Amino acid sequence: MNHLYPIFLKVHELNVLLIGGGNVGTEKLEFLLKSSPKAQVTAVSREFSQSFIDLAETTETVTMIEDVYHEKYLGAKHIVIAATDDKAVNRQIRDEAKERFLLVNVADTPALCDFYLGGIVTKGNLKVAISTNGKSPTAAKRLRQLLEDVLPEELDDLLDNLNAYRETLKGDFEYKVKAMNEITEGLVKRK
């Protein structure tokens, strides 16, 4: 059973530390920027791949520091992603981050993670997260691709219209919930 609690973080308002500038680090940065183009990321690596540099240069919110990992980089951070190719360094990053009560993701090591970077489908304001509890990133990727194909682009129009309707409602919370349920019930009824 998947016991994970899904949340949507405002990473444009949080400070993310990403350690590793190779293929895995690039993948993690790509995921962050796809979901939150203004994510505040400090990346630390002995060296950065050209693909990492190219991606990081697409936004002003990514800072690259060429250096080996040191605990000092954990200061003023909220989230840490360890994506080096050295398991001992990744473990060290995780342990030192946990001492500071920081949330940590260690690439390809689910047992050391506080959270996973799951599959994300975005259609305007709608965002759907997919988790396989760390069991199969490939399955999450395929489900993401499927949902991207079947969910219409017009979903954002629907959300805008429902929000406009909700803004017109007067009354207590219970009344508003009932009214929203009545108007949206037709969306799920089979014909």
Side-chain angles (χ1 to χ4, degrees), residues 87-175:
K87 290 182 185 277
V89 171
N90 285 344
R91 169 66 85 159
Q92 176 189 354
I93 293 166
R94 189 251 186 205
D95 292 346
E96 291 174 354
K98 293 310 293 176
E99 289 173 6
R100 294 172 180 245
F101 303 100
L102 300 174
L103 294 175
V104 183
N105 174 276
V106 179
D108 300 323
T109 315
L112 299 181
C113 294
D114 293 320
F115 65 95
Y116 306 127
L117 302 175
I120 302 289
V121 178
T122 304
K123 294 286 183 169
N125 286 297
L126 178 71
K127 192 167 280 199
V128 178
I130 303 164
S131 167
T132 62
N133 206 18
K135 299 289 183 190
S136 178
T138 300
K141 176 182 177 180
R142 295 297 175 232
L143 286 169
R144 175 187 54 80
Q145 291 170 330
L146 174 69
L147 289 173
E148 285 175 341
D149 286 344
V150 299
L151 291 175
E153 295 299 327
E154 295 79 13
L155 272 176
D156 212 36
D157 293 338
L158 173 66
L159 296 176
D160 287 341
N161 291 336
L162 288 172
N163 184 59
Y165 174 69
R166 185 181 78 175
E167 296 295 325
T168 68
L169 296 175
K170 306 294 182 226
D172 62 12
F173 180 74
E174 186 176 326
Y175 169 77

